[in-house]
Amino acid sequence: MLAGAVCAAAVAASTAVPARAHQGPHWDARDTGVFDVRFRGLAAVSRHTAWVAGTRGTVLRTTDGGGTWRDVSPAGAGALEFRDIEAFDARRAVALSIGEGEASRVYRTDDGGATWTESFRNTDARAFYDCLTFFDRRHGLAMSDPVDGRFRILSTSDGGRSWKVLPNRGMPAAQDGEAGFAASGQCLVSAGPKDVWLATGGAARARVLHSADRGRTWTATDAPIPAGDPARGVFALAFRDRAHGLAVGGDFRPEQDSPKAAARTADAGRTWHPADRPPPAYRSGVAWLPHSRTAALAVGPSGTDLTTDGGRTWRTVDTGSYDTVDCTPDLGCWAAGEQGRVARLEH
């Protein structure tokens, strides 16, 4: 791992140069061939393989580093909005569409997207599913906005082939107006075999909920990120292990300022500390750089920010629009967003 750690440190140091200068690592756009789709779902498998999912029921996959993209959208899904996708490899992936009632669905493929099986369709008009996460290739969760005053959790133990709603007895009561943001597929994230975190907003206080038993019982902690409005809260989380995490968000309205829109934790989310120098605007996605204990990227419609001190300070390194970001152990980092935009971090 030493070579990887050294490379990651070099990435962290040199990425501080604006991307347009191309001096060191920078986002390199990969032509997807589509321009009318917004990709908020992203699953990076490696430097070569990635999946993106978005509006118009669109799912694309590359296995050559973004040189070419294959449209592997599920048949008949053109009216759906895919906001999250989790991939195990180049052939197996699980995608979530969002919306009220039956618009919230889960699909799984085992053949690279050639065929998909619909494994869940929400039949409760009160539910609205936002995000997916997997602990391993078998065990995963999906989350819905509150139903009967509590966030609803969906569980799978067979890789997304079947799902069941978990009892809500261990879920704290939701605040008035509290919900998740289906902005980047990162409002529900996991680390290790059992720990999972859920990000919220839209209420008086932004919160992060944590479960150490795969979603059966939860604790809630206030996050020092702007709240008090339906457009404000925590939009994305990233944990490099079960203790160290980052939270980003703010106010997604472009005409609104988003000060103090990042926070960090070193105790599994029991306490959160605001960034000393946060990103200058709303950010919807965040990811730790591979093999680094201190470097991470945050993305949003107005740019990309880098931290090299574990989330204490952030510096803008690119002004392109991206909604979500994901990195892989082989030093592959991908970002995706509006107008069919996908990019890979080039070293």
Side-chain angles (χ1 to χ4, degrees):
M1 290 293 186
L2 180 59
V6 171
C7 185
V11 168
S14 56
T15 305
V17 178
R20 62 181 177 274
H22 286 199
Q23 300 173 14
H26 58 275
W27 288 126
D28 185 44
R30 303 301 164 103
D31 184 7
T32 61
V34 298
F35 304 97
D36 57 352
V37 173
R38 189 164 195 162
F39 292 120
R40 294 185 184 270
L42 167 64
V45 176
S46 69
R47 283 185 54 78
H48 304 290
T49 299
W51 304 66
V52 290
T55 53
R56 300 176 181 266
T58 306
V59 178
L60 305 182
R61 184 193 64 151
T62 183
T63 56
D64 60 4
T68 59
W69 294 84
R70 180 181 176 187
D71 187 339
V72 294
S73 307
L80 299 179
E81 291 239 1
F82 287 112
R83 294 292 182 92
D84 199 356
I85 186 166
E86 304 291 330
F88 308 117
D89 50 40
R91 298 186 61 79
R92 292 175 289 182
V94 179
L96 171 73
S97 69
I98 60 99
E100 296 178 350
E102 293 192 359
S104 286
R105 306 178 192 180
V106 179
Y107 291 81
R108 177 183 166 107
T109 182
D110 290 292
D111 56 12
T115 61
W116 294 82
T117 300
E118 182 185 305
S119 59
F120 172 77
R121 181 179 298 204
N122 173 48
T123 57
D124 190 334
R126 302 168 298 170
F128 186 115
Y129 285 85
D130 299 293
C131 289
L132 284 170
T133 191
F134 276 86
F135 304 96
D136 52 43
R137 291 174 180 261
R138 294 175 53 207
H139 300 92
L141 301 176
M143 59 81 67
S144 163
D145 291 339
V147 176
D148 295 328
R150 286 176 167 80
F151 284 93
R152 175 170 287 181
I153 302 297
L154 201 62
S155 174
T156 180
S157 59
D158 56 11
R161 295 177 178 86
S162 64
W163 298 83
K164 64 178 180 180
V165 175
L166 293 181
N168 68 2
R169 293 185 297 274
M171 176 67 70
Q175 305 174 83
D176 290 342
E178 193 172 24
F181 290 108
S184 61
Q186 295 177 324
C187 60
L188 185 73
V189 302
S190 56
K194 293 184 178 180
D195 287 274
V196 58
W197 295 263
L198 188 162
T200 83
R205 305 182 310 279
R207 301 197 297 176
V208 177
L209 281 63
H210 172 229
S211 170
D213 56 9
R214 290 184 181 164
R216 296 192 175 275
T217 60
W218 298 78
T219 57
T221 302
D222 291 352
I225 283 180
D229 186 277
R232 297 175 185 164
V234 180
F235 281 72
L237 300 167
F239 277 78
R240 66 173 173 81
D241 54 41
R242 70 175 308 272
H244 298 86
L246 301 169
V248 299
D251 190 319
F252 69 75
R253 296 170 295 189
E255 72 277 8
Q256 297 293 321
D257 293 332
S258 289
K260 302 179 181 179
R264 68 189 190 279
T265 181
D267 57 11
R270 286 188 292 273
T271 59
W272 289 88
H273 305 281
D276 299 331
R277 189 173 72 220
Y282 155 73
R283 295 294 182 252
S284 55
V286 62
W288 291 93
L289 287 177
H291 310 299
S292 175
R293 298 173 61 85
T294 58
L297 294 170
V299 301
S302 65
T304 297
D305 302 287
L306 169 75
T307 179
T308 58
D309 55 15
R312 290 176 176 82
T313 62
W314 296 83
R315 175 187 294 184
T316 301
V317 294
D318 187 272
T319 56
S321 174
Y322 297 103
D323 293 309
T324 186
V325 59
D326 194 18
C327 295
T328 62
D330 66 346
L331 304 180
C333 284
W334 298 78
E338 60 185 341
Q339 298 178 336
R341 184 178 293 117
V342 179
R344 192 179 74 175
L345 193 68
E346 290 302 301
H347 300 200

